[in-house]
Amino acid sequence: MKLINKIGEYVSQPKFRYSHTFDVLRNIFLLRESEKVLVNAVEFTGSNKIIGDYFEFGIGRGDSFILIGMTMKKLSRKFPLFKETKLYGFDSFEGLPEIKDIDKQPSWRKGKYKCSKKEILKKIKSAKIDLNKVKLVKGWYD
């Protein structure tokens, strides 16, 4: 476990330069299973030449949205179709609405996952994702 923590600390440093070896290690040790699924889905999309844009409904703090954008950027040399892919994020940016009836769960409460559009754009920019390829849409859905 100490080795995994050390790798995590090293890879997290701002001046760290990614190499294929460390990407592999990061994917094995640092990504949660749900994140590995997203990375695999992007790779599947590219290798099967599935053309289209990416839509995410309810982006919360933007973590999975940014992971998808970073993965597409990283794989765009291998899969040129990602160079044209746009990323659309739909969110209220106010967190969850009031939870009613059948949807009530102890871990869900009004306002959970709140993150402003400005904060998410800042995170996207710091991930070096081209903002011209990103469209964030404020609103609610039923």
Side-chain angles (χ1 to χ4, degrees):
M1 199 56 153
K2 284 185 179 180
L3 173 64
I4 293 171
N5 289 337
K6 236 8 179 182
I7 292 169
E9 289 172 22
Y10 183 67
V11 172
S12 306
Q13 294 176 5
K15 58 187 170 184
F16 175 75
R17 293 275 183 202
Y18 286 104
S19 71
H20 178 69
T21 304
F22 280 102
D23 278 340
V24 171
L25 287 172
R26 185 195 62 206
N27 288 341
I28 293 170
F29 294 114
L30 301 177
L31 290 180
R32 297 182 308 237
E33 285 304 310
S34 59
E35 293 169 329
K36 289 177 189 177
V37 168
L38 292 174
V39 169
N40 290 338
V42 171
E43 187 143 20
F44 177 85
T45 302
S47 61
N48 287 283
K49 298 179 177 72
I50 300 170
I51 298 170
D53 293 328
Y54 175 74
F55 296 85
E56 187 168 320
F57 297 86
I59 64 173
R61 293 179 189 90
D63 297 336
S64 59
F65 188 81
I66 291 168
L67 178 62
I68 293 285
M70 289 173 63
T71 304
M72 286 183 171
K73 179 181 176 184
K74 181 175 173 40
L75 293 175
S76 64
R77 218 180 270 164
K78 184 176 180 181
F79 305 117
L81 63 100
F82 290 144
K83 291 177 183 172
E84 304 303 317
T85 303
K86 302 273 192 276
L87 306 164
Y88 292 89
F90 299 87
D91 203 285
S92 69
F93 304 102
E94 297 172 25
L96 293 174
E98 188 67 44
I99 310 301
K100 299 176 187 167
D101 307 321
I102 196 169
D103 294 325
K104 283 196 179 211
Q105 293 185 30
S107 63
W108 289 2
R109 66 185 182 291
K110 183 178 181 178
K112 187 172 183 175
Y113 305 115
K114 180 179 182 178
C115 191
S116 74
K117 191 174 180 178
K118 183 178 178 179
E119 288 175 79
I120 292 174
L121 284 169
K122 184 177 175 184
K123 288 173 73 173
I124 292 169
K125 188 175 181 180
S126 71
K128 298 187 178 3
I129 297 170
D130 182 357
L131 291 177
N132 293 317
K133 296 178 77 170
V134 173
K135 174 83 172 153
L136 299 180
V137 181
K138 182 176 174 53
W140 295 93
Y141 62 91
D142 292 321

